[in-house]
């Protein structure tokens, strides 16, 4: 009965407090949502206090935190409150151990969420499993230390706070990160990403395209020289990943006019045709993944732009239609692959970005341009419904509480920006979403190339739960770094 009472109190808590919002923190081992309440401060520069309860489960601390939050509307600080931080009464560990978010999911979710929110002070009511000490003594999730302390489960907790609450190290770091320009972030990322093509796949290609946008043409040509002079073959082991890996040669062809780069792009696109020149049913190597909208369509469209041959645009349109029959859900989101209906985050980022890049090279007078543009617009409209309160898209787009995923956000936001600048999307409606995504991504990019919550490489999963438990990488990651570099250079208008 107590659980029902708490659920009801949390459900009605927001209503009497002007401007209060309910946010998702994460999911428990059983799949229950951990929720927070955000109550704005008097000014944007006001300090942030996080009040937490329920780390030992549904006990008296939950009631106290709920009660304190109800009275918080006239406070001099911004308040974040998590009344029930551990609904499953799991054993918590701080700093968290294991793989996020499969192992110790509650601990990881709380730890990383707190790091990005970067409060100036954390007050934990009741049992804390060592969290207060861990927050105070560790650089939390690579962001910074946060003063924290346990407090007793008594009323009036917030009344005892000092008049001046100093900024935490984490708060200062988040402010610093968000103060960087897109060009500055791109330059920082370029120190760590885009320095090899040992594996000729999309991850390395996108990072090298970022390097090209920053003006590092000679360096990129040097890295790719073995694939151009015949020492190496970038299609020696063709796959979906390597199809998109050839995009960097398309970028070089446009910048230099070198026919050798054009030939590599043409050779890639020709994999969609028989020996006698007929179009195949689709581009090869798609393996039924929604990823293939990105892996195949842009490189084929690039071949059309570079050669002027219409057959390549025809193939790009055919491949899109083929993939939509396989993986486009009736509601407008993409399932990652036909085994489940899970709308995996990057599984939607790939079609969004892939179609934006394809349309950028597509002739407006092509009979399929209108259909493809409408498909892009409909997908972007649907994705807008699922941007979270912090500007991110989730690891499973439409599953509340799944973690805010770095690469999906960078890819989807880049697609929005490309759509706005080409006049395909309404800037008044979508530019605020791009700006929110940029603030979210910039907060999750450290100066040494470390990132927060990049989903690991993901093959076909058998269930929604399998997708929800994909590892969330904290630190440097080539995939995340490449997509962040692409987004940053797009924001800096360097394309």
């Amino acid at each position: 009965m107590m659980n029902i009472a708490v659920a009801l109190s949390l459900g009605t808590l927001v209503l009497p407090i002007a401007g209060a919002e309910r946010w998702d923190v994460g999911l428990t081992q059983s799949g229950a949502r951990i929720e927070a309440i955000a109550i704005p401060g008097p000014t944007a520069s006001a300090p942030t206090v996080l009040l937490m309860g329920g780390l030992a489960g549904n006990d008296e601390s939950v009631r106290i935190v709920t009660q304190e939050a109800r009275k918080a509307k006239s406070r001099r600080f911004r308040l974040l409150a998590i009344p029930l931080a551990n609904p499953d009464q799991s054993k918590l560990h701080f700093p968290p151990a294991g793989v996020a978010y499969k192992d110790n999911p509650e601990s990881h979710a709380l730890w990383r969420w707190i790091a990005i929110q970067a409060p100036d002070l954390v007050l934990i009511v009741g049992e804390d499993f060592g969290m207060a000490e861990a927050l105070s003594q560790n650089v939390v999730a690579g962001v910074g230390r946060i003063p924290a302390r346990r407090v007793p489960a008594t009323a009036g907790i917030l009344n005892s706070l000092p008049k001046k609450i100093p900024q935490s190290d984490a708060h200062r770091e988040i402010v610093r990160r968000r103060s960087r320009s897109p060009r500055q972030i791109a330059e920082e990322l370029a120190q760590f990403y885009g320095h090899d093509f040992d594996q000729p796949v999309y991850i390395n290609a996108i990072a090298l395209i970022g390097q090209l946008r920053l003006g590092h043409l000679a360096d990129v040509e040097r890295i790719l020289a073995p694939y151009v002079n015949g020492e190496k073959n970038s299609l020696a082991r063709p796959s979906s990943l390597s199809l998109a890996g050839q995009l960097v040669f398309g970028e070089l062809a446009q910048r230099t006019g070198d026919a050798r780069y054009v030939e590599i792009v043409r050779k890639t696109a020709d994999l969609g045709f028989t020996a006698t020149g007929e179009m195949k049913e689709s581009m090869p190597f798609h393996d039924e993944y929604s990823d293939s909208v990105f892996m195949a369509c842009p490189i084929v469209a690039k071949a059309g732009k570079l050669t002027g041959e219409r057959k390549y645009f025809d193939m790009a349109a055919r491949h899109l239609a083929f993939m939509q029959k396989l993986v486009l859900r009736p509601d407008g989101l993409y399932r990652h692959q036909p085994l489940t209906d899970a709308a995996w985050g990057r599984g939607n980022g790939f079609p969004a970005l892939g179609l934006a890049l394809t349309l950028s090279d597509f002739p407006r007078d092509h009979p399929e341009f209108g259909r493809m543009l409408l498909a892009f617009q409909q997908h972007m409209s649907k994705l807008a419904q699922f941007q979270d309160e912090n500007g991110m898209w989730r690891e499973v787009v439409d599953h509340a509480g799944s973690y805010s995923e770095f690469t999906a956000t960078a890819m989807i936001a880049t697609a929005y920006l490309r759509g706005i600048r080409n006049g395909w999307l309404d800037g008044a409606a979508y530019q605020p979403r791009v700006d929110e995504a940029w603030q979210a991504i910039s907060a999750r990019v450290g100066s040494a190339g470390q990132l927060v919550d990049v989903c690991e490489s993901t093959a076909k999963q058998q269930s929604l739960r399998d997708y929800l438990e994909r590892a969330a990488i904290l630190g440097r990651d080539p995939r995340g770094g490449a997509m962040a570099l692409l987004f940053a250079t797009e924001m800096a208008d360097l394309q």
Side-chain angles (χ1 to χ4, degrees):
M1 292 299 294
M2 183 62 178
N3 282 334
I4 296 173
V6 170
L8 290 173
S9 69
L10 293 178
T12 58
L13 176 59
V14 175
L15 299 179
I17 305 174
E21 298 178 348
R22 184 184 298 177
W23 293 356
D24 285 325
V25 175
L27 297 175
T28 69
Q29 189 70 55
S30 71
R33 290 162 63 186
I34 303 171
E35 295 181 314
I37 299 151
I39 302 170
T43 64
S45 61
T48 297
V49 174
L50 170 60
L51 182 63
M52 299 178 64
L55 270 80
N58 193 352
D59 56 19
E60 177 65 9
S61 67
V62 177
R63 186 186 68 81
I64 292 296
V65 172
T66 302
Q67 176 180 295
E68 291 291 300
R70 285 184 183 276
K71 300 185 297 185
K73 59 182 176 181
S74 61
R75 299 292 174 184
R76 62 188 181 280
F77 47 79
R78 172 175 174 253
L79 178 67
L80 300 175
I82 305 178
L84 183 53
N86 186 13
D88 291 357
Q89 295 182 287
S90 299
K91 187 174 182 180
L92 303 180
H93 306 268
F94 300 105
V99 176
Y101 290 87
K102 186 172 184 177
D103 305 321
N104 303 306
E106 297 88 350
S107 300
H108 281 290
L110 293 166
W111 188 254
R112 297 188 187 186
W113 186 87
I114 292 170
I116 293 300
Q117 299 307 320
D120 299 296
L121 177 64
V122 177
L123 301 175
I124 304 172
V125 183
E127 175 60 55
D128 79 333
F129 295 92
M131 176 182 258
E133 181 179 6
L135 290 171
S136 300
Q137 296 187 3
N138 291 273
V139 178
V140 184
V143 178
R145 293 180 175 84
I146 302 170
R149 65 174 185 263
R150 290 180 61 188
V151 294
T154 57
I157 295 169
L158 300 178
N159 292 333
S160 63
L161 294 180
K163 290 184 178 180
K164 183 174 178 57
I165 300 173
Q167 275 194 351
S168 66
D169 290 347
H171 187 156
R172 285 190 291 271
E173 172 62 9
I174 291 295
V175 170
R176 185 200 68 79
R177 291 183 182 189
R178 286 178 167 160
S179 69
R180 297 170 296 176
S181 69
R183 177 78 190 225
Q184 287 174 318
I185 292 181
E187 293 284 7
E188 287 183 4
L189 288 164
Q191 295 179 47
F192 304 98
Y193 305 106
H195 296 280
D196 72 85
F197 203 58
D198 295 338
Q199 294 185 5
V201 297
Y202 84 93
I203 297 171
N204 297 332
I206 293 298
L208 288 170
I209 288 171
Q211 294 281 3
L212 284 173
R213 290 179 171 188
L214 289 169
H216 305 153
L217 174 63
D219 291 338
V220 174
E221 287 198 295
R222 174 183 54 78
I223 291 168
L224 296 178
Y227 298 95
V228 181
N229 63 24
E231 292 179 29
K232 294 183 178 181
N233 179 3
S234 59
L235 290 171
R237 299 177 63 184
S239 68
S240 183
L241 305 184
S242 66
L243 292 184
Q246 314 310 304
L247 285 171
V248 65
F249 296 107
E251 294 292 323
L252 279 170
Q254 288 186 211
R255 283 168 169 75
T256 67
D258 191 326
R260 295 175 301 169
Y261 299 136
V262 177
E263 187 55 33
I264 292 173
V265 174
R266 181 199 289 272
K267 183 178 179 182
T268 306
D270 282 345
L271 293 172
F273 297 82
T274 67
T276 55
E278 290 85 11
M279 279 195 296
K280 297 178 182 178
E281 184 182 26
S282 68
M283 288 295 289
F285 316 121
H286 59 78
D287 295 327
E288 301 182 319
Y289 287 115
S290 64
D291 310 22
S292 186
V293 177
F294 168 84
M295 301 299 175
C297 291
I299 191 64
V300 180
K302 185 67 73 178
K305 182 174 183 177
L306 292 171
T307 65
E309 295 185 35
R310 202 173 191 88
K311 68 176 186 177
Y312 295 118
F313 298 119
D314 295 342
M315 184 70 242
R318 172 176 285 198
H319 187 72
L320 173 65
F322 177 87
M323 294 309 304
Q324 286 181 319
K325 288 179 181 178
L326 277 176
V327 290
L328 183 62
R329 297 187 338 192
D331 67 354
L333 293 176
Y334 284 82
R335 62 178 66 87
H336 184 216
Q337 39 80 26
L339 293 182
T340 78
D341 259 352
W344 181 51
R346 200 155 60 237
N348 278 267
F350 279 127
L353 180 58
L355 200 42
L357 296 177
T358 301
L359 289 168
S360 297
D361 287 336
F362 226 78
R364 307 307 189 258
D365 63 350
H366 191 283
E368 289 295 307
F369 179 82
R371 181 186 68 81
M372 296 171 70
L373 176 58
L374 180 60
F376 173 72
Q377 292 168 331
Q378 289 175 336
H379 187 213
M380 301 312 290
S381 176
K382 187 66 178 181
L383 284 170
Q385 300 174 25
F386 297 102
Q387 189 176 23
D388 73 17
E389 59 274 359
N390 292 300
M392 300 284 286
W393 277 269
R394 297 193 177 278
E395 198 263 341
V396 176
V397 171
D398 57 347
H399 194 87
S402 65
Y403 66 85
S404 299
E405 203 279 319
F406 187 93
T407 56
T409 299
M411 296 164 76
I412 291 168
T414 301
Y416 275 119
L417 190 54
R418 181 64 66 95
I420 292 166
R421 288 179 173 165
N422 281 284
W424 306 327
L425 299 175
D426 178 15
Y430 292 115
Q431 187 62 49
R433 297 192 178 279
V434 174
D435 295 339
E436 289 173 13
W438 175 250
Q439 288 296 304
I441 288 293
S442 61
R444 289 163 171 79
V445 177
S447 57
Q450 66 269 42
L451 314 171
V452 180
D453 283 354
V454 176
C455 181
E456 66 179 326
S457 179
T458 298
K460 290 183 179 180
Q461 304 298 300
Q462 299 293 321
S463 68
L464 171 62
R465 185 177 183 86
D466 290 335
Y467 280 100
L468 293 172
E469 292 184 348
R470 298 305 295 162
I473 297 163
L474 177 66
R476 290 183 192 167
D477 177 76
R479 181 181 289 99
M483 291 306 175
L485 185 52
L486 188 73
F487 185 23
T489 53
E490 195 87 18
M491 284 290 293
D493 201 17
L494 298 175
Q495 66 269 23

